[in-house]
Structures are given as C-alpha cells and as structure tokens.
Amino acid sequence: MRRFLKIVAAVVLAVVVLPALVGGGLFLWLRGEQPQHAGSLSLPGLERPVEVLRDADAVPHIFAETEADAYYALGFVHAQDRLWQMEGMRRLGSGRLAELFGTRFGDWTLRLDRLTRTLGFHRRAQESYALLSPEAKRVLDAYAKGVNAYIATRKEALPIEFQLTRLEPEPWKPADSLVWGKLMALQLAGNYREELTRARLAQTLTPQQIRDLYPGDPPGSPVTLAADLRGMRFDKAEAALPPALGFDLASNEWVLAGSRTATAKPILANDPHLGLEAPVLWYLARIVTPNFSITGATAPGMPLHALGQNGNVAWGFTNTHSDVQDLFVERVDPRDPTHYLTPKGSEPFTTRTEIIKVAGQPDEVLTVRETRHGPVLSGLEGMDGAPEGHVLALAWAGLREPDTSAEALYRLNHARTAAEVRTALAKHVTPQQNVVYADTAGTIGFIVPGLAPVRRKGDGTLPVPGWDGEYDWTGFIPFEALPQSVNPPSGQIVNANNAVVGAGYPYLLAANWPEPLRAARIQQMLAGGAFTVDDVAAQQLDVTSLAAKELLPLMTAAPAEGRAAEAVALLKAWDGRMDRDRPEPLIFEAWFRALNRALLGDELGPLYGEYFWQQTRTVMLALTDRPAWCDDVRTGDRTETCAEVLTASLNAALDELARKHGPVLATWRWGAEHVAPLPHPLLSRLPLVGRWFTLAVETDGDSFTVNRGTTRFSDPAAPYAHVHGAGFRAVYDLSDLGNSRYVIATGQSGNPLSAHWGDFVERWRQGESVRLTGDREALRKAGAQVLSLKPSFGGR
C-alpha cells in the first residue's frame, strides 16, 4: 500500500504547479473553503428537517425525526469532512485507480486494479445490496442521497486532493458503501500471502525449523510440500503480488460483568488496531431519532456504525486471525487450455471480461478466470511461478457464499438485547471477527461470527493440489458450533487476538495464532477488584511489555563489558514499561531487532525480510531449547554459541543507537525513535511542504503492550516508528451509556487545512477521551455549531 501512495504522491506533483501551493495563494484560498457547519441549508431528498449539532471537536450529533433522514444527514456530513477518503476507498475497491493515476510512475495502481477486479469486489457489493432487507436498503439509499446532496449543493471548493488531481466526484451509489466491507475483509484475511511465504520457507528449511518459526502450530502439523508442487516458484508468485492492504492486524477487547464493576453493570472496552494515517479510518458520529439512537465509530463511505452502542447494547470487535483462505494449484487440461482438471474430469474455466481504464493509455482488457475453488490469480500479477500447465486459484469464504454481512451489521446496530446481538451476527459472513457484547440488563457475551471452512484434509498453511479433491472444503463451521460464551462464571471475557479455542475444539479455525501477551497482561490487570470506567480506560493505556519481561532474563545473562554492561544494568533494573521518556525501551527494542537478525538471518537468507517480525516465542526457543539457531551457518566449521550471539547483537544495537543519539545511554529516549507519524497519505509526501501534512507525535508502548505501538522492524529507514495501533478507543458504561468514552487518533476532518484535522492527536496520545451525549439544548449551551437541514421542494 505504501508503494501505491508514493505513486499517488508523484502523480500529484506531476499534475500541479507546486510553486502555486508554496507561494501561498492556493493554500490560503483552500483554507478558507471549509464546509458549512452552521446555518441553514435546503436539500433535495429530505423528508423532514434535521439538525446537525457539531460539538467542540466537530463530532456531529444528528437529530432527526426519521431514521432515513438521519442517515441522509450522516452521508452529508461524511462527504463534508471526508470526501477524498471516501473517493479513495471507492476507487480502490472498484479497481479504478489507474483510471485516475495511470502508470507513468509505476504499475502498482494497475496491479491493484487487476486484483480487485479479479476478486470482483464491486460486482459482489452489488450482489450484497440486492440481498439486503428493505429496512437496510433504505439506510444505504438515504446515505447515498446525502452524499450526493453535498456534492451537488456545496458552495465551497472541493478538498485540496480533488484540486490537485483535477477530479470531479461521481454520484455515490449504495453499492459503493458495501465495497468498504470487501476491502476490510481482504485486509483482515491475508492467509493466502502467508501460505506463499510458508511454502517458500518449507522449500529450504527442515520441518523442525518451520515449527520453530511458527511455534504455535499443533504438534505434528504438516510443513512440507506435496511432491507434485515441488516445481512451484513461490518466490515469483509472492513477489508479483500488489502491496498488501494491511499488516500485523490486531485489536483489544474485554468486557466485565456487573459482578466485577463498581456500577453493578457491565463495562466493555475496545480498541481496534490498524495502520495510522491522517485521517484515520474512523469518524465519530451520534444519531438520535424518536425510536432509535446510536453512537460510536463510523467509516466514511459506510453509513452503519462498525463499533459503538445504541442505548441498549454495546459491542466491540477484534480480528480472529482464522484461516479462511486457501491457495489451490489447479492443473490445466493439457488437451484444452480453456479447461482445468477436477475429480469429475475436465471442466471449463468460468470467464468474464473486465475493462480497466488507464489514464494516458488504451484501456486494458482483463479476462478473469475462475475455477470451482475461486478466482485464478496466476497470470494476473505476473504470477507465472506455477509449473507449466498449472495455475493458482484463491478459495476464500468471503467469495464463496452470498454475503449478508451488511445486513448483520444493520441488525447489530438495531439490537436491543444480548440475544438479538447473537441473532444479528448469524448473518455475518466476512471477515470473521471476535465480538464481545453487553446489554443494559447485565448480560455479557462473546461470539466469533463469520464463515470458516471445514477442510477435507490439511491445515490451510500451504498451497495444495486442486485437481484431486483431497484438500477441498466440505462446508463451513455451523454457526451454532462457532466459539461463543454467555455470562461466564469468571465475570470477564478478554480477547487480544489470542487463540479463541483450545486443542479440544472439533474444528480447525487456524493453525497459528498471534502471541497471547496482550491478553495475558489484560488478565493480570483484571486479577481482582470492582472496576470503574476510569479504571478500564487506564488499562487501555497500559504500556508494560510482557515480551520484555519474559525475554530479558535470557538476554541479560550474556557476558557484557563496558558500555554493554551499563546497558545490561539498566535493563535488569527496568520494570518493562515502554515509556517514551526512558532509555531502556529503546535499548531493548534495538537489541531485540539485532538479535532477531542474528538468529534467523543466516538460515532464512533472502526470505528473512519477508518473515522478519517480532516473534518472542521463536527467540525464546532459540535461547533455550534450540541453540542451533545461534550458530551462523555461513561461518563454516565454527559453531557460535547463544552467549556469543547475545553479546554481539547487543553491541551492534548499541553502536547503532550511539551513532544516532550520542554516547550517553542515560540520555537516550524511546520517544525519539518511537514516533507515530500520522501522515496524510498523499500530501505528506510532497517535497518542501510535506511536513505540513504530518501529525507526528511521540508515543509510548510497543508491539506487545496493551497500548499498542507497533513498529515495523523490517523498515531500515524507521524500524522503531509507531506505524500501527489503536486508531479508535472506546469504553462503554452499561449503567449509563452517556458516560461512555471515545477518542480517535487524528481529527474528524480529512482536510489538513481544517482546525479539526488533528485536534484529537494529543488527547489520543495521553489517553484522554470525550463523551458524546446531551440533548439539543445541552449541546447548544456547550457551544455546538448548529446546521439545519431542511427539505427543498416539499421533500421527496
């Protein structure tokens, strides 16, 4: 995705005269061209008047007489504040990036277009819309009318990105909103890419080494390729894929029953973790009608609240990390290349034609093939690594069945009890998620809705033959059999992407799970007491790294002299808190990074950069039970010990830090390197003025803390930057949902020239939050701006 953004930035430079911006005239003009937040507007398509009261943070509180009018208004305010973000989402999901940017600066936009066209996102979004109930369709229709009302009636100039790209937005369609769900599903389910990486590792490493690299695998899991696949060039297939839409996906959620709280009612906490940019994905909004209200996090372009509370129930999501994708190697019929082999004989590929418009070039005609398993990826992105006469096809639960996920979200938004939450989520298809929920009556629960395949054979970790049927899916785990719990005796439910089932679960959800360190830390903090909303909000800000506390006794046992001995002494006395003003977190992270490379870089060779991630279990195994990892296989007859590797990696890390931060260890600070850049995805990359469009802030935490500050170790330029984390935090008080707390990482506006582009940043960093409550009179007294939306021409 970052390569795509670089291309976009280069294109922006090519289509605008930069001196005009630097000179200030265009800048000042656009700064004054802000959307109207107060006064009165007459709009076509409204049934009755609506009031939008924006509080001091520009969060809209929408008061409407009908639900349709409320969502019309939400579409209007989303377009006012985030129209470019909505346009980018629509074009990415519809495969229309090259139409805008062409290929003059690379072909990544075209490659992304080919992928989303092959997966058929917009076509499937249209199919999903047809499956909606009349009530849910009414919401999407009204929302689209609101977006289009803004586009048609605005008096201010379009956002700066439209000016620079000379783009006029097209009318919004209801199916455009559903594309968001398809993109999110792809971002949260990247199994097929991991299959390619694991297959490449399995071609060069032993089965035991594979188990060490993925230590969460059940004992005896298959790790070798089938003989018929040995000719597969997985390196070509993986290298040819377009950039991933997401990485290292994670989140936290927990819910406490009334028996565990000071209010005798449940408290629910949730903070989803995604990539950090300005603006973030999330947009806070509140809707109030006579019969329905809802408050929480929306995603511009999608009318329904992804996360929040509706006065009766509250809910939160984390990613399950279930394995819902498989790559099948299909054998092309040698007698007829338009057919492929199946257990029942030769069958024709299903084909369709996609026309991709490319700026400055002729249209591209893309022939999409599908097999009984799913769309064919081979040939799509230069994935020519399959043996001659074979192709790769993607099986994905999100593409196999009619997708009613939007209907599930609509019903979840309207659920009045915990039982209705469960009923609503039975409609959810993709992405599979862990959902905690609570209602005002005191029920708490957990469920893992979404389609997860039942495989005839295998564990989903490697590409498998598709022609003999041995590895076919036989169906999906029944909804009733999905992991779930209601009112557990402990009075608490915790998930931080850790395993949701144990060895006794009768179905395979995943062969590997993320490390359970954040979940373990949350459970430590919940060890006793009756908790308040403030207590739970403080727990979300916890920065104790169990990874550091578990690894350091092994790491600091190594011999150390001089500066290294000083560093070891600091680390031995350290409490494991990843505070931005301390030197110890920086020393630990740099050492951990150098140690990872020293242990794994020689065996993995060119694959190291792809596998390179923070895996504490593998490092602990190497330092305890698998000392062979400490030996550098490149040094011939000499065998290095783990003590030598620890000492050498510490010295290398200290050398790196001294070059950047000077020789005095005590003056080093984690925050000097651990900065959340929060960049505008386009404008921050412009020369000379890019820094104006970046909301950089030093932060606490690391990849293993509850207050997650994920770094990308494999990035040589900024290996300790905070690039992924909680873009939204919420704590819901089921005794008084008006007392619930919310914050997003940036601001409500997507316009970097707005006062509300980054006004949440400091509060987000500090763990502060806002309450979204109050009637119209209370909001007016608090200084809210009031925008009255009135029907024009007598309504519809």
Side-chain angles (χ1 to χ4, degrees), residues 485-525:
S485 174
V486 178
N487 292 329
S490 65
Q492 69 181 49
I493 301 170
V494 175
N495 184 266
N497 310 110
N498 50 295
V500 298
V501 293
Y505 187 65
Y507 297 98
L508 173 72
L509 270 181
N512 299 284
W513 302 92
E515 293 186 297
L517 295 175
R518 282 178 290 116
R521 177 57 184 162
I522 294 167
Q523 290 179 335
Q524 285 181 1
M525 294 188 289

Side-chain angles (χ1 to χ4, degrees), residues 82-90 162 279-282 299-300:
R82 301 281 189 94
L83 187 59
W84 176 257
Q85 186 180 37
M86 295 165 63
E87 180 68 28
M89 178 274 291
R90 172 166 63 173
F162 287 94
V280 290
L281 170 68
W282 307 112

Side-chain angles (χ1 to χ4, degrees), residues 92-97 107-122 124 183 186-187 192-193 240-245 325 327 352 354 356 364 366 368 375-378 380-381 383 394 396 399:
L92 175 59
S94 302
R96 295 182 59 193
L97 292 171
D107 64 349
W108 285 103
T109 54
L110 182 55
R111 293 158 77 91
L112 283 164
D113 284 352
R114 291 172 183 154
L115 177 63
T116 53
R117 293 290 188 96
T118 296
L119 298 179
F121 278 173
H122 200 269
R124 295 179 192 277
L183 289 170
L186 180 62
Q187 183 173 356
Y192 75 102
R193 290 175 179 269
L241 285 171
L245 298 183
Q325 295 175 332
L327 284 173
R352 71 176 190 276
E354 296 279 345
I356 302 177
E364 177 175 296
L366 175 67
V368 178
V376 172
L377 301 185
S378 292
L380 167 66
E381 307 294 346
M383 291 181 64
L394 174 66
W396 179 14
L399 302 179

Side-chain angles (χ1 to χ4, degrees), residues 50-53 60-64 69-70 73-74 77 286-289:
V50 176
E51 282 193 331
V52 179
L53 287 84
H61 301 245
I62 298 170
F63 291 85
D69 282 345
L74 182 62
V77 300
R286 178 182 176 221
I287 286 174
V288 180
T289 74

